[in-house]
Amino acid sequence: MWRERAFMAVLLLLVHKIHGGCPPSSCGKISNISYPFRLKGDPEKCGEERYELGCENNVTVLYLYSAKYHVQAINYKKNTVRVVDPALQHHNLSSLPLRFLSRSNFSDTYTQKYFYQSDPYQAGLRASVNWESLSFSHIVFVNCNHSVREKEKYVESGEWVKWEGKGYSYAIGGDLKAEDLEVGCEVKLVAPTSLSTYNNHSYTSMHTALAYGFEISWMQLACQKHCPVFYKDCYFDSSKQKLKCRQALLNNGTVSILQLYISLFNIAFFLSAMNK
């Protein structure tokens, strides 16, 4: 096992050398902007370019899919960041997200391994089968050409939300299955939230959940940094609130040459990404 430990020690020293000496930056209410994030204008060696945040009107801004989101909180232990669409206003029930966004936008939704994904953000906390997901629910807005108020899932939003000034407007909490979409109804908007305690029978509560925002993670990068050598699986242990790695060893407890090459490739990829 000494080879694995030696590799890990060398990697940690390299990471420290590259990113050491970078004090946290701040913007507005976010006062702990540190690796992997960097604030625009920080020294080049601090943070990673693809995790660069902006500071606009004293508000921390995250860039996601060519759009801007306001950062509400960063959890470095859990490797998550909570953001909200800037168009949402807590006390304005007529305000809606500007963009259609769902879990399907994130590559890890349909793949089990993060390591070869290129997206900087994921919608989950594990890179394996039986992965633990983030609290990532949806609010679905629909417009119908007739009233469906008798349907339990459909919550009236027409008092605040009008689609082209006609029809009947509803909001639905949670995922909408194809069989649940009534004939004559059209999906107009899907938006995420990570506030799991909202009341899905109350539009006011749904809007509050949207204004709370949604969490995404940088698990792919965290796993590369935390489990770069001989890993089999990388996941977030919610009971201990930390990342865990499972090693891939042969029956005799030794590491194969193939695993060694894969690990070296992963380390090189990780270090080159940090130096970009």
Side-chain angles (χ1 to χ4, degrees):
M1 299 295 287
W2 65 268
R3 287 176 294 181
E4 301 97 294
R5 292 170 183 165
F7 256 134
M8 182 66 76
V10 170
L11 181 64
L12 291 176
L13 284 173
L14 287 170
V15 171
H16 177 75
K17 181 177 180 181
I18 293 171
H19 294 287
C22 292
S25 299
S26 64
C27 173
K29 65 181 181 181
I30 308 300
S31 59
N32 60 338
I33 299 172
S34 55
Y35 186 83
F37 297 104
R38 53 174 281 113
L39 196 60
K40 190 175 292 185
D42 281 350
E44 289 186 8
K45 68 172 184 175
C46 297
E48 297 215 18
E49 184 178 358
R50 60 181 180 153
Y51 292 95
E52 184 171 83
L53 303 175
C55 187
E56 301 180 5
N57 299 317
N58 209 32
V59 174
T60 305
V61 175
L62 179 144
Y63 307 97
L64 181 67
Y65 302 131
S66 301
K68 296 179 181 180
Y69 291 85
H70 289 173
V71 177
Q72 304 298 294
I74 301 176
N75 187 328
Y76 290 99
K77 183 175 290 187
K78 199 176 177 183
N79 303 299
T80 60
V81 54
R82 178 164 57 90
V83 299
V84 66
D85 192 300
L88 284 161
Q89 304 167 26
H90 272 282
H91 303 296
N92 180 2
L93 297 181
S94 297
S95 65
L96 294 174
L98 294 173
R99 301 159 191 89
F100 195 114
L101 186 69
S102 71
R103 191 183 192 103
S104 62
N105 289 99
F106 298 89
S107 61
D108 64 301
T109 301
Y110 300 112
T111 57
Q112 295 173 356
K113 292 289 182 184
Y114 291 130
F115 213 88
Y116 301 104
Q117 299 300 322
S118 59
D119 289 353
Y121 298 103
Q122 292 78 50
L125 290 178
R126 291 189 72 165
S128 67
V129 182
N130 301 320
W131 59 311
E132 176 184 343
S133 99
L134 288 168
S135 176
F136 198 100
S137 181
H138 298 111
I139 306 293
V140 183
F141 291 86
V142 299
N143 196 52
C144 304
N145 58 22
H146 62 283
S147 174
V148 291
R149 62 184 303 175
E150 72 279 1
K151 300 296 181 180
E152 184 179 2
K153 282 190 173 183
Y154 286 68
V155 177
E156 290 186 87
S157 61
E159 181 180 349
W160 303 280
V161 180
K162 300 291 184 182
W163 301 104
E164 294 119 21
K166 58 183 179 181
Y168 298 82
S169 299
Y170 300 92
I172 301 169
D175 294 332
L176 179 66
K177 297 179 181 178
E179 59 265 28
D180 293 329
L181 184 61
E182 293 294 316
V183 175
C185 295
E186 177 187 4
V187 174
K188 305 296 289 187
L189 179 67
V190 177
T193 177
S194 291
L195 185 64
S196 57
T197 57
Y198 72 89
N199 179 357
N200 61 4
H201 298 295
S202 163
Y203 179 69
T204 301
S205 182
M206 289 185 193
H207 188 273
T208 298
L210 288 178
Y212 172 80
F214 60 95
E215 283 184 321
I216 48 179
S217 76
W218 62 91
M219 274 292 293
Q220 172 183 322
L221 181 67
C223 283
Q224 289 173 357
K225 178 181 176 182
H226 190 70
C227 310
V229 182
F230 315 125
Y231 81 97
K232 178 182 180 181
D233 188 17
C234 173
Y235 64 98
F236 181 77
D237 186 334
S238 57
S239 63
K240 296 186 177 180
Q241 288 291 295
K242 65 179 183 179
L243 284 178
K244 281 196 171 182
C245 317
R246 285 203 293 262
Q247 292 183 336
L249 299 178
L250 300 181
N251 291 335
N252 62 1
T254 61
V255 180
S256 71
I257 296 298
L258 176 60
Q259 290 165 347
L260 176 61
Y261 279 126
I262 291 173
S263 299
L264 288 172
F265 171 80
N266 289 337
I267 292 171
F269 176 83
F270 171 62
L271 293 176
S272 64
M274 289 194 301
N275 281 312
K276 286 182 180 178

